[in-house]
Amino acid sequence: MKKVLIIGGGGREYSIGYFMKDEAEIFYAPGNGATEEFATNIDIKDFEELANWAKENNIDLTIVGPEDPLVKGVVDVFKSHGLTIFGPSSKAARLEGSKVYMKNFLKKYNIPTARYIETDDKQKAYEFIDSMDKLPIVVKADGLCAGKGVIIAESKEEAKKTVEDMLSGKAFGDAGKKVIVEEFLDGYELSMFAICDGEDFVLLPAAQDHKRLLDGDKGPNTGGMGAYAPTPLANEELYEKVKSRIIKPTLKGMQEEGAPFEGVLFIGLMIVDNEPYVLEYNVRFGDPECEELMALIDSSVYDMFFNGATKQLDKIDVKIKDMVAVGVVCASKNYPYSSSEPAEITVDDLSDCNGYIAYAGVKKIDGKLMATGGRVLVCVGFGKDVKEARDEAYKIVDKVHFEGKKYRKDIAYQALKY
């Protein structure tokens, strides 16, 4: 049996291992309290040490889940040891690690995006804000802020205050020492994910994430409160535009930059009149989108990642199930404001449900599975259409119990409205 090491311990990493467990022996670094049900968790943080462990244990493939180790160069370390690893080099990971680099890259290679300025000069940012004729205005911190470094300002005053807070280091520390101010595109957001091997790519079904904490897209931005895929909001014409105008020029551009892109290219899109514009790039799967996408793959999940890591995507056919997956995040009581007390998780019998649970913020304490804060788990339902999958997801939500459980009740509402 193949051996796979997955770096990370959230719901995204759980779902990758969960859908590969029949094909390979799975190891996690560090994993979580639920991954040990079907895998082995190891506690090694140092990249060199982890690479040596992978060599000693004859790991066939390593998959990196989160952005932080990618930006810090875990792929480079593993490759220097001759190991097979799926994910971008630190140089290629700048597409997420620096929003300034990403926006300038889009401009250089004529990839459609919003009008913007990048600067560390408060006065220049203010002048650009004053020149804008439409509200709201988007202000972004340059560096990694765990998905929270984007502010949509409803007035020019708020935009200027945000710029000041970021550049002073008050808002996001060093991550905000350079900012991007850009026009707000009025359309709807979609997430698309391409498995890339530097030259070729496989585009997975489009997903839609729900970032806000509360129903009706109210409340603060979070890491994501739910998602569904595929979305009926993406038609064949749109997929073709994304392939030809965005993914192909990006892969070609990254080759020219001397940083061929291997790994997951996560394209945050704004669709305006069926025209795609890039809002941002991430260099890994979205969470919770990954939890739905893994469930949709109808061919070998191992081969998809292994062939992506070994420049052989042209040799496989990634098949997609004819179904919809809807995921609802159950978060802890105080999310996203502060940490919550650990709470025991109990789950009723799921035999009459069509779906699964992807666990994230959980630990085993005295043999009990405990919610330990943040986004605790994702209830993913399957169905022939969005409504059926959503109903299954909420059926699972009702069977999950822990103190302070918090979730949105309107996931996939845009697709149902559509």
Side-chain angles (χ1 to χ4, degrees), residues 42-62:
I42 57 167
D43 188 22
I44 302 173
K45 292 182 180 68
D46 180 78
F47 296 165
E48 284 286 343
E49 212 183 312
L50 196 55
N52 283 322
W53 180 92
K55 265 205 309 214
E56 283 160 21
N57 288 275
N58 301 314
I59 296 295
D60 295 286
L61 171 67
T62 299

Side-chain angles (χ1 to χ4, degrees), residues 171-184:
F172 297 107
D174 287 345
K177 290 294 176 69
K178 217 173 192 193
V179 297
I180 288 164
V181 182
E182 70 180 19
E183 68 174 338
F184 179 83

Side-chain angles (χ1 to χ4, degrees), residues 275-340:
E275 298 296 324
Y277 294 84
V278 176
L279 291 176
E280 64 174 359
Y281 280 144
N282 293 319
V283 298
R284 37 73 194 179
F285 274 116
D287 189 343
E289 295 99 327
C290 186
E291 288 87 320
E292 291 76 53
L293 289 170
M294 288 300 109
L296 295 177
I297 292 163
D298 204 15
S299 46
S300 166
V301 176
Y302 176 86
D303 285 353
M304 180 178 79
F305 287 112
F306 183 82
N307 285 42
T310 54
K311 295 187 174 49
Q312 301 182 85
L313 279 179
D314 58 339
K315 295 193 176 128
I316 57 163
D317 182 17
V318 176
K319 293 187 169 67
I320 303 297
K321 290 174 188 164
D322 184 17
M323 72 172 198
V324 176
V326 173
V328 179
V329 170
C330 293
S332 56
K333 186 177 174 181
N334 301 328
Y335 181 76
Y337 306 105
S338 60
S339 57
S340 308

